[in-house]
Amino acid sequence: NAGVTQTPKFRVLKTGQSMTLLCAQDMNHEYMYWYRQDPGMGLRLIHYSVGEGTTAKGEVPDGYNVSRLKKQNFLLGLESAAPSQTSVYFCASSYGNLAKNIQYFGAGTRLSVL
Amino acid sequence: LAKTTQPISMDSYEGQEVNITCSHNNIATNDYITWYQQFPSQGPRFIIQGYKTKVTNEVASLFIPADRKSSTLSLPRVSLSDTAVYYCLVGDPKAAGNKLTFGGGTRVLVKP
């Protein structure tokens, strides 16, 4: 049972480059989330999705785009990477508001933008 | 989401009980209290959730007083592997998006 899988695990980008982070979950969860975590800080919500084909902005959405074309996948895109986007990115999923707000997290993607 | 306040760090020794108190003075009627644990280089992991009184599972206990303005996570007989950051979150599980707001957490260091 894989749970939430994130790819890649590590990535180094140059300023201005683009990339897509992939999150896949095999728990048939309705809700999916993307967070970023900077050193010594808690997680901040970037975007989230409450179902296939829907997305919404979180606390820090600027510079990122997302897509949820399939229920099991949630993609996070950086169109033009900036050094301020150097961070660890976590994906999470949950059953949705039928359950008690429990999110399941992936192992994270460590991104460095030079 | 209700704002939470918890200690930045705590030290303990193997075999001791660790209690982390979280303040959430403006908790709303529909809010639940949830704790997550995060090991270095890993994503957070759900530990326990409660609404009032006491909740216990195989990992921890959660104590919530009647006024619900604070809560205490209790980790019995900690081991070195319990060294982690512990986050207290408060929110309505039926709110749109089930969004979570993470504070800075409490960094627990268990010493031999």
Side-chain angles (χ1 to χ4, degrees), chain A residues 67-89:
Chain A
S67 63
R68 183 99 181 268
L69 299 180
K70 294 182 179 181
K71 184 177 182 179
Q72 64 268 32
N73 296 336
F74 196 28
L75 279 62
L76 177 71
L78 287 73
E79 292 186 347
S80 180
S84 61
Q85 294 178 305
T86 293
S87 189
V88 181
Y89 292 84

Side-chain angles (χ1 to χ4, degrees), chain B residues 5-66:
Chain B
T5 302
Q6 51 184 123
I8 294 174
S9 64
M10 299 178 68
D11 289 355
S12 183
Y13 291 91
E14 283 188 294
Q16 289 188 335
E17 180 181 78
V18 171
N19 295 306
I20 309 171
T21 297
C22 179
S23 297
H24 28 80
N25 291 320
N26 59 340
I27 189 170
T29 302
N30 294 331
D31 286 346
Y32 279 71
I33 300 153
T34 310
W35 287 81
Y36 282 77
Q37 173 191 55
Q38 185 179 25
F39 297 115
S41 301
Q42 294 188 26
R45 182 181 70 140
F46 169 83
I47 300 176
I48 197 167
Q49 185 179 75
Y51 183 80
K52 61 180 178 180
T53 64
K54 176 184 174 181
V55 180
T56 298
N57 62 23
E58 64 278 5
V59 177
S61 294
L62 179 60
F63 299 92
I64 306 169

Side-chain angles (χ1 to χ4, degrees), chain A residues 33 37 42 96 100-101 103 105, chain B residues 36 38 49 87 97-98 100 103:
Chain A
Y33 311 82
Q37 185 174 34
K100 292 183 179 178
N101 203 20
Q103 294 186 14
F105 286 80
Chain B
Y36 282 77
Q38 185 179 25
Q49 185 179 75
Y87 296 97
N98 266 4
L100 298 178

Side-chain angles (χ1 to χ4, degrees), chain A residues 31 33 35 37 40-43 45 48 50 90 94 96-97 99-103 105-107 110, chain B residues 32 36 38 41-44 46 49 87 91-100 102-104 107:
Chain A
Y31 290 14
Y33 311 82
Y35 295 87
Q37 185 174 34
M41 298 180 65
L43 284 73
L45 183 64
Y48 65 100
V50 299
F90 289 101
S94 73
N97 60 6
K100 292 183 179 178
N101 203 20
I102 297 173
Q103 294 186 14
F105 286 80
R110 189 172 298 274
Chain B
Y32 279 71
Y36 282 77
Q38 185 179 25
S41 301
Q42 294 188 26
F46 169 83
Q49 185 179 75
Y87 296 97
D92 180 358
K94 290 184 171 58
N98 266 4
K99 292 177 287 184
L100 298 178
F102 286 82
R107 191 172 300 273

Side-chain angles (χ1 to χ4, degrees), chain A residues 24-44:
Chain A
Q25 53 94 3
D26 62 1
M27 297 174 282
N28 200 34
H29 284 171
E30 287 295 330
Y31 290 14
M32 296 187 74
Y33 311 82
W34 275 106
Y35 295 87
R36 62 175 288 173
Q37 185 174 34
D38 298 320
M41 298 180 65
L43 284 73
R44 291 185 292 171

